[in-house]
Amino acid sequence: MAYLLRTLIVLMIGGILLTAMLALKLITLPFGHIQVAIPAFIYTIFAQAFVMFYFIGVARLTNNVYSIVSSGTNLKELFEVPPEDLTPYIEKTKKFVEEADRCKRQTIPWTILMLILGMIAFLLGGAHDTGVVQKTTHSGVVLGFFIAMTIGFFRQWYYLGKSHVLLRKLKTLYGIADAQM
């Protein structure tokens, strides 16, 4: 899943860069800046929603596993034969919970900022097209969006890798088959 999400965000970057190059008239296509901006930003919303829910899901999954192991109830959900001593499982799963929460905390604020600035830039683009706001206003918000997108992209890329490894370790620890998560 992390590889799919990485592909989605690379395509998102490509769509936004194509939109910017059309706006700056660095390239010409049969479609204009506005015609490319609409699907590019809709795709950005789609990709960022998937990335955000992935991190939320990984954190939720690790929390659920930790609550099962730490409470000692419903152990049949994780083990065919529950071990007598759950201490090593509790300690390792607690570290997984902390790592998953860190991944979520490091990426979701950038995702939200990217989406908010993108929406504002999108609306200001329409306002500029109708003559309500200056081009510099739209361009300034777009610049902020590009900065947030660049920082967010690298953070997401890095923490998608970390979350992928975390899930592999969690599956290995509990002997969960790949197809089950």
Side-chain angles (χ1 to χ4, degrees):
M1 180 60 105
Y3 297 120
L4 172 66
L5 293 173
R6 281 180 169 178
T7 304
L8 289 178
I9 61 175
V10 166
L11 291 173
M12 175 197 76
I13 295 285
I16 297 299
L17 287 176
L18 177 65
T19 304
M21 288 189 291
L22 284 168
L24 297 170
K25 299 188 185 342
L26 296 174
I27 62 171
T28 56
L29 292 174
F31 303 111
H33 160 70
I34 295 170
Q35 289 86 9
V36 173
I38 293 168
F41 189 66
I42 290 171
Y43 180 79
T44 298
I45 294 169
F46 166 79
Q48 290 304 306
F50 269 114
V51 170
M52 183 170 55
F53 287 121
Y54 175 78
F55 286 113
I56 291 170
V58 169
R60 186 70 194 143
L61 173 70
T62 56
N63 267 325
N64 288 345
V65 170
Y66 180 72
S67 22
I68 289 171
V69 173
S70 63
S71 69
T73 58
N74 298 331
L75 291 174
K76 291 284 186 184
E77 290 183 24
L78 296 173
F79 303 101
E80 287 183 26
V81 178
E84 293 294 320
D85 184 21
L86 292 173
T87 307
Y89 292 97
I90 292 171
E91 292 170 0
K92 288 179 182 178
T93 308
K94 179 68 175 165
K95 290 179 184 175
F96 293 154
V97 168
E98 292 167 358
E99 183 67 28
D101 285 341
R102 182 178 309 109
C103 292
K104 185 174 69 169
R105 282 192 318 267
Q106 293 295 321
T107 56
I108 289 182
W110 289 103
T111 300
I112 299 297
L113 182 61
M114 190 184 321
L115 290 173
I116 289 172
L117 288 174
M119 283 187 269
I120 294 169
F122 188 81
L123 293 172
L124 288 175
H128 167 65
D129 194 46
T130 57
V132 177
V133 298
Q134 298 282 328
K135 183 178 183 176
T136 55
T137 305
H138 170 61
S139 299
V141 175
V142 168
L143 179 62
F145 167 72
F146 266 98
I147 292 168
M149 184 179 67
T150 302
I151 294 169
F153 171 78
F154 286 110
R155 283 183 175 259
Q156 288 171 352
W157 187 274
Y158 177 75
Y159 286 107
L160 280 168
K162 289 193 76 80
S163 291
H164 178 73
V165 170
L166 179 143
L167 283 176
R168 302 299 293 165
K169 288 179 180 177
L170 184 72
K171 288 178 182 182
T172 302
L173 180 64
Y174 291 101
I176 300 170
D178 283 336
Q180 289 185 323
M181 283 191 223

